[in-house]
């Protein structure tokens, strides 16, 4: 047993001290990102670190709700530390920054710590830093391309030589399931399979639906089980099974998403950045608020993402003023490790 | 740089694994000849092979020390690592079962068919996570007793009423006077991948997966 005196000199699992050189590198990196975002026309906000549970948890799914750091104020209200920056920024934008000048979308950047309980002994931080942007009031693929392009540009500006951005679309996955008339109970199972990264179980569950071979092929194509499968970046093409999505009425939702993705890729191609993208429909983000494109960046030597983001058109509505929005959050601590490992 | 690093499991699965690799033209006889060699670079395929304890294979893959690995589903279920499960290789079949002594159980009687007055059962196992999930799913409160081996002994000496163990033929259970009460889950060998490798080395990873899929002696996924 540890005596109460010993706690004094310890710190809890999931937090850490950042000392001298690393603190210095982190500040410099965050400074570089801030400068880049300012130059791109984004302006800074600093939202509070904690708030009411209902507010901080507004965008979180059940999983994340359980992972919030919660405490009680002196009147008995439940408070929570922010689990991400997007939710408090969305609250701020919906309640105080609702009117953009001349209908111009809001361009916001932020930098700060977020807090989540993680499973024990996984070596994952409970407190970590996020620096990112939100583009609020802009719908459509141009806006998605703008933030994706910015994400690629800052990773390059930071000096990361090799990285890849996995790009998915919530409506493409759900739209494919719509077209195959997959019911909600089955979707829960399929989402769980993908969430657990279990492609074997996904495939078995798809086969057990007893669909015709074409539909089965489309559902399986989601996990990209061939070497020349989903790779919009270098080959510029979608898997052949997806041709059917464009021509069939039942896949209209998926076809819309596919057109979105094609438009985003087209823009990035024009900017010479499409080579950084690989399509990945199995990409599921931690938060439930995503409604369109979703993406995460990966680099060699680092087992986790460097940044993640996507479109969340319904989150501001949670705070009373629906507006389309898209953005990403970069994790500077992970980026520093990736930079170190590629040297 | 794009040559894959592959973690292989020591022990029983290794023989099947090497056979499956040989079937797609990857000959690792250098590894077979020298069982103490832990790292093997195969010049023909440009791949590097690591031999690790089976339960450590997912850890090597999760942290990216290996791009992909071959390991039993049983290890994945107990380890709960963040790795992608790409392919059911079909070999190395076994299953998790709940078993108990004939004095309180009969073959396939299920948890509700037990002749035991204790409401809070004690379950001895090496696989505490699988056990915890199974009984939580069944809505049965149990006390889990973690052992590292000789689990079949536990009911005989009064350490636990039941055990959860991995069985192939079930012979060890019979020899210890135990019967299978119910199945927990089946297991076969799986091809697993690191999440970042799956994105950055997509071509080579899926290429190997599809060669193993068509070249091996695995079952087609059905039903």
């Amino acid at each position: 047993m540890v005596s109460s005196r010993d706690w004094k000199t310890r710190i809890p699992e999931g937090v850490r001290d950042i000392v001298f050189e690393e603190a210095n590198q982190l500040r410099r990196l965050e400074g570089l990102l801030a400068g880049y975002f300012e130059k791109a026309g984004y302006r800074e906000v600093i939202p509070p670190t904690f708030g009411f549970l209902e507010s901080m948890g507004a965008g979180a799914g059940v999983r994340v709700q359980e992972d919030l750091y919660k405490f009680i104020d002196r009147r008995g209200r439940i408070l929570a530390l922010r689990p991400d920056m997007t939710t408090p920024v969305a609250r701020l934008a919906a309640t105080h920054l609702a009117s953009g000048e001349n209908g111009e979308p809001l361009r916001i950047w932020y930098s700060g710590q977020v807090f989540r309980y993680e499973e024990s002994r996984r070596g994952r931080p409970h407190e970590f830093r996020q620096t990112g942007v939100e583009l609020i009031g802009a719908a459509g693929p141009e806006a998605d391309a703008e933030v994706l392009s910015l994400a690629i540009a800052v990773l390059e500006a930071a000096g990361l030589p090799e990285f890849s951005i996995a790009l998915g679309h919530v409506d493409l996955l759900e739209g494919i399931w719509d077209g195959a008339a997959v019911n909600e109970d089955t979707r829960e199972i399929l989402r769980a399979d993908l969430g657990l990264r279990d492609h074997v179980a996904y495939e078995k569950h798809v086969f057990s639906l007893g669909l015709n071979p074409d539909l089965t092929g489309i559902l399986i194509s989601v996990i990209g089980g061939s070497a020349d499968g989903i790779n919009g970046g270098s080959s510029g093409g979608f898997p052949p099974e997806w041709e059917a999505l464009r021509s069939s009425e039942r896949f209209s939702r998926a076809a819309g998403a596919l057109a979105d993705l094609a438009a985003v890729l087209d823009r990035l191609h024009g900017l010479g950045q499409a080579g950084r993208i690989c399509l990945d429909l199995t990409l599921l983000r931690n938060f439930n608020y995503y409604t369109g494109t979703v993406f995460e960046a990966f680099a060699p030597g680092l087992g986790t993402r460097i940044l993640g983001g996507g479109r969340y058109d319904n989150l501001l509505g949670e705070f009373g003023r629906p507006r389309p929005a898209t953005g990403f959050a970069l994790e500077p601590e992970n980026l520093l490790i990736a930079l170190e490992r590629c040297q | 740089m794009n040559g894959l690093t592959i973690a292989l499991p020591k022990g029983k699965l290794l023989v099947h694994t090497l056979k499956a690799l040989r079937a797609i033209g990857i000959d690792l006889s250098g590894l077979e000849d020298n069982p103490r060699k832990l790292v093997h670079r195969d010049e023909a395929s440009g791949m590097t092979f690591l031999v690790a304890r089976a339960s450590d294979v997912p850890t090597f893959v999760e942290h990216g020390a290996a791009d992909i690995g071959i390991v039993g589903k049983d290890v994945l279920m107990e380890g709960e690592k963040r790795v992608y499960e790409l392919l059911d290789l079909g070999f190395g079949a076994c299953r998790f079962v709940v078993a108990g002594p004939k004095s309180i159980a009969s073959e396939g009687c299920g948890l509700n068919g037990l002749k035991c007055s204790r409401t809070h059962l004690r379950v001895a196992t090496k696989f505490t996570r699988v056990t915890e999930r199974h009984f939580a799913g069944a809505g049965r409160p149990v006390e889990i007793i973690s052992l590292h081996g000789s689990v079949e002994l536990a009911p005989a000496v009064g350490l636990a009423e039941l055990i959860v163990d991995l069985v192939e033929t079930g012979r060890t259970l019979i020899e210890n006077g135990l019967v299978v009460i119910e199945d927990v889950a089946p297991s076969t060998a799986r091809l697993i991948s690191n999440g970042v490798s799956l994105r950055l080395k997509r071509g080579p990873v899926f290429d190997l997966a599809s060669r193993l899929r068509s070249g091996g002696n695995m079952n087609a996924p059905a039903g």
Side-chain angles (χ1 to χ4, degrees):
Chain A
M1 288 304 278
V2 183
S3 86
S4 63
R5 204 180 50 205
D6 291 332
W7 295 121
K8 225 185 240 179
T9 54
R10 300 180 178 201
I11 57 175
E13 183 179 359
V15 298
R16 66 193 190 107
D17 298 304
I18 303 174
V19 177
F20 303 148
E21 187 55 28
E22 192 191 352
N24 196 273
Q25 288 173 343
L26 207 48
R27 292 291 181 203
R28 256 186 299 164
L29 180 58
E30 286 175 342
L32 179 141
L33 296 170
Y36 214 95
F37 295 153
E38 286 283 340
K39 215 174 65 196
Y42 288 74
R43 294 160 68 205
E44 186 178 15
V45 298
I46 307 178
T49 315
F50 64 87
F52 294 117
L53 173 65
E54 294 82 354
S55 175
M56 285 300 182
V62 180
R63 236 339 283 294
V64 179
Q65 287 270 8
E66 283 179 11
D67 296 341
L68 292 178
Y69 267 91
K70 303 180 200 81
F71 52 108
I72 295 174
D73 76 3
R74 59 166 83 179
R75 299 169 78 185
R77 300 267 328 179
I78 305 175
L79 305 173
L81 295 178
R82 60 186 181 210
D84 71 333
M85 296 295 282
T86 298
T87 308
V89 169
R91 192 244 337 126
L92 169 64
T95 55
H96 289 96
L97 309 172
S99 50
E101 297 133 41
N102 312 323
E104 262 289 290
L106 279 168
R107 288 184 170 80
I108 291 172
W109 74 269
Y110 57 76
S111 184
Q113 294 103 305
V114 298
F115 308 85
R116 295 175 204 169
Y117 275 103
E118 293 281 349
E119 255 174 89
S120 250
R121 280 172 279 139
R122 280 291 164 89
R124 301 174 66 85
H126 293 205
E127 175 187 16
F128 56 97
R129 309 182 66 81
Q130 287 191 332
T131 301
V133 300
E134 311 294 355
L135 178 50
I136 295 168
E142 302 79 25
D144 291 312
E146 177 180 328
V147 297
L148 260 169
S149 171
L150 190 57
I152 293 168
V154 291
L155 290 178
E156 283 173 352
L160 192 66
E162 197 188 340
F163 64 89
S164 174
I165 295 196
L167 174 65
H169 197 298
V170 174
D171 273 349
L172 189 44
L173 189 59
E174 296 287 335
I176 283 175
W177 292 342
D178 282 357
V182 177
N183 65 35
E184 185 52 35
D185 288 351
T186 308
R187 283 180 201 218
E188 280 297 315
I189 295 169
L190 296 179
R191 280 189 210 112
D193 291 340
L194 295 179
L196 290 169
R197 305 164 185 81
D198 189 346
H199 294 187
V200 172
Y202 178 85
E203 216 171 280
K204 279 182 182 155
H205 286 132
V206 167
F207 275 101
S208 73
L209 295 176
L211 301 166
N212 72 47
D214 287 348
L215 281 177
T216 301
I218 290 171
L219 263 67
I220 297 292
S221 73
V222 160
I223 54 176
S226 69
D228 52 340
I230 311 176
N231 195 336
S234 53
S235 71
F238 295 125
E241 291 92 347
W242 295 6
E243 269 311 307
L245 303 182
R246 299 183 209 258
S247 50
S248 168
E249 184 57 33
R250 63 200 300 191
F251 285 114
S252 58
R253 183 180 177 191
L258 204 54
D260 263 10
L261 279 181
V264 169
L265 287 171
D266 205 42
R267 293 231 155 198
L268 292 175
H269 198 76
L271 296 164
Q273 292 174 317
R276 298 288 194 183
I277 307 283
C278 72
L279 287 183
D280 185 349
L281 293 199
T282 65
L283 192 66
L284 297 173
R285 308 267 298 130
N286 282 334
F287 289 80
N288 276 0
Y289 50 62
Y290 289 101
T291 54
T293 55
V294 286
F295 56 91
E296 289 189 352
F298 300 96
L302 187 70
T304 177
R305 65 172 177 271
I306 300 168
L307 66 79
R311 175 162 286 286
Y312 52 98
D313 286 346
N314 299 333
L315 184 57
L316 272 79
E318 289 284 323
F319 299 107
R321 296 227 189 173
R323 299 175 84 185
T326 180
F328 69 83
L330 187 150
E331 294 174 20
E333 288 150 294
N334 285 347
L335 178 52
L336 269 190
I337 297 170
L339 286 168
E340 207 171 282
R341 296 207 175 144
C342 69
Q343 272 162 15
Chain B
M1 180 64 201
N2 255 359
L4 296 173
T5 301
I6 303 173
L8 306 178
K10 248 182 220 167
K12 274 189 258 181
L13 267 189
L14 188 61
V15 181
H16 293 286
T17 301
L18 294 177
K19 204 174 125 199
L21 288 170
R22 204 176 306 125
I24 61 164
I26 298 172
D27 180 20
L28 298 182
S29 42
L31 245 179
E32 274 168 295
D33 297 344
N34 185 356
R36 269 180 305 237
K37 194 170 175 188
L38 300 180
V39 184
H40 177 81
R41 166 110 186 129
D42 182 52
E43 295 300 337
S45 63
M47 295 178 190
T48 304
F49 293 86
L50 312 175
V51 183
R53 202 188 148 112
S55 56
D56 290 336
V57 166
T59 308
F60 277 79
V61 174
E62 181 184 35
H63 293 277
D67 297 303
I68 54 184
I70 291 174
V71 71
K73 176 72 176 171
D74 55 303
V75 172
L76 295 173
M77 287 177 67
E78 182 62 18
E80 295 177 346
K81 300 291 181 193
R82 297 181 187 217
V83 295
Y84 284 80
E85 214 178 301
L86 298 183
L87 191 63
D88 184 347
L89 294 163
F91 56 76
C94 55
R95 61 199 171 113
F96 284 113
V97 299
V98 181
K102 285 179 192 138
S103 55
I104 61 163
S106 55
E107 190 75 31
C109 67
L111 291 176
N112 293 327
L114 290 176
K115 297 185 289 287
C116 180
S117 56
R118 285 182 78 114
T119 50
H120 207 87
L121 295 167
R122 294 169 302 167
V123 185
T125 186
K126 286 187 278 189
F127 309 98
T128 54
R129 281 180 175 156
V130 169
T131 303
E132 202 180 325
R133 267 203 312 265
H134 179 70
F135 285 97
R140 290 288 290 243
V142 292
E143 184 186 335
I144 296 169
I145 296 170
S146 169
L147 296 177
H148 290 95
S150 305
V151 176
E152 304 83 3
L153 201 58
V157 297
L159 184 58
E161 284 73 39
L162 306 177
I163 67 167
V164 168
D165 210 0
L166 200 56
V167 301
E168 257 175 270
T169 59
R171 212 177 58 217
T172 318
L173 291 182
I174 295 166
E175 283 168 3
N176 286 279
L178 300 170
V179 293
V180 172
I181 294 164
E182 64 183 15
D183 281 356
V184 176
S187 167
T188 43
R190 303 293 154 99
L191 183 73
I192 61 172
S193 170
N194 172 271
V196 177
S197 302
L198 191 62
R199 271 90 188 206
L200 291 180
K201 301 181 181 176
R202 193 169 191 93
V205 169
F206 277 118
D207 179 54
L208 184 72
S210 65
R211 280 160 67 203
L212 281 169
R213 184 191 288 268
S214 48
N217 54 349
M218 45 166 299
N219 308 318

